[in-house]
Amino acid sequence: RGGRGIQEALNPLGYRLMHAILLSLGLSEEEINHTPIEDSNKISMHLNSYPACPNPDQVIGMGPHTDSGFLTILYTNGVSGLQVLRHKDDIGPERWVTVPAVPNAFVVNISDLMHVLSNGRYHNVVHRVIVSRTNQRLSAGYFLRPPIDVKVGPLSKLTEPEQGPVYRPVTWPELLNMKSMLYDKALDAIKINGLGSVRDDNKF
């Protein structure tokens, strides 16, 4: 069944991850049941191949970016190369950190719409890919996102009365279009200045 069978197998994992995240954000089981996760979320798949390069410092596997949906579930052939940007902290300055390649394990990245949905509590992950000097790297990314006509805004339960939502609702295609023009400033463009409100008919 190939890729379709793999996608169908990963759908339940994606929904379980979304369910766990909503629980961690303080939603009750009843509130989650009124959030149509299983009926509304979509999963797309991307396959990537990064050939070995004798001069890896002179090439880019994939440049710095964030993903646009809710979550990305990543599986690789065990060759490392994924790096995440760690901001300045008590340990050191801003830096790229290589994610260890754990055999038979998935890596889960928080994406832009989860950042919006959680009102900034879950931060989207800036990441890039570097190539190996000796080994080809293969990866399969599964992107959990809403349907194209669904607007995603901060959950009402996560907005403080004195602050309101940080972001206005946005559809996935609208966000993609903004990122094509604004790159890493797209989320800044949908920030709400001052108090805002969340529509009761938002699906998320």
Side-chain angles (χ1 to χ4, degrees):
R1 298 177 61 181
R4 181 177 295 275
I6 296 173
Q7 285 183 260
E8 291 176 356
L10 279 174
N11 281 347
L13 175 59
Y15 301 143
R16 288 178 64 185
L17 287 170
M18 285 290 294
H19 188 91
I21 288 175
L22 292 177
L23 284 174
S24 74
L25 289 171
L27 273 69
S28 66
E29 292 284 355
E30 181 179 357
E31 289 169 324
I32 293 175
N33 289 337
H34 287 87
T35 303
I37 296 174
E38 294 192 12
D39 295 332
S40 295
N41 287 353
K42 305 295 181 183
I43 284 186
S44 57
M45 178 175 65
H46 291 178
L47 301 176
N48 300 296
S49 173
Y50 305 94
C53 177
N55 299 300
D57 296 336
Q58 299 182 20
V59 298
I60 298 176
M62 185 176 292
H65 67 286
T66 59
D67 297 329
S68 301
F70 289 126
L71 302 171
T72 300
I73 304 171
L74 184 69
Y75 185 76
T76 74
N77 64 337
V79 177
S80 64
L82 176 65
Q83 293 187 326
V84 297
L85 184 63
R86 183 163 182 169
H87 298 291
K88 181 180 178 181
D89 54 22
D90 294 338
I91 300 175
E94 185 175 79
R95 60 211 180 271
W96 289 101
V97 178
T98 299
V99 178
V102 179
N104 301 315
F106 292 110
V107 173
V108 179
N109 282 341
I110 299 295
S111 303
D112 295 332
L113 289 180
M114 179 57 69
H115 187 112
V116 172
L117 182 74
S118 67
N119 209 30
R121 296 193 185 186
Y122 277 99
H123 286 268
N124 53 354
V125 178
V126 180
H127 56 285
R128 69 181 185 182
V129 177
I130 60 175
V131 299
S132 169
R133 185 183 304 275
T134 56
N135 298 303
Q136 180 185 25
R137 183 176 187 270
L138 302 174
S139 69
Y142 305 88
F143 301 89
L144 190 68
R145 62 168 180 82
I148 60 174
D149 59 340
V150 171
K151 284 193 172 184
V152 176
L155 292 165
S156 299
K157 192 166 186 175
L158 304 180
T159 59
E160 301 293 338
E162 64 275 11
Q163 176 193 37
V166 177
Y167 304 96
R168 67 171 177 83
V170 64
T171 65
W172 180 65
E174 182 183 1
L175 180 60
L176 287 179
N177 184 56
M178 295 177 70
K179 289 182 73 173
S180 70
M181 298 182 293
L182 302 176
Y183 303 102
D184 60 341
K185 304 300 182 184
L187 290 190
D188 289 338
I190 63 170
K191 280 187 174 180
I192 298 173
N193 294 322
L195 294 176
S197 61
V198 177
R199 290 170 56 94
D200 291 334
D201 59 355
N202 279 344
K203 292 182 181 292
F204 293 94

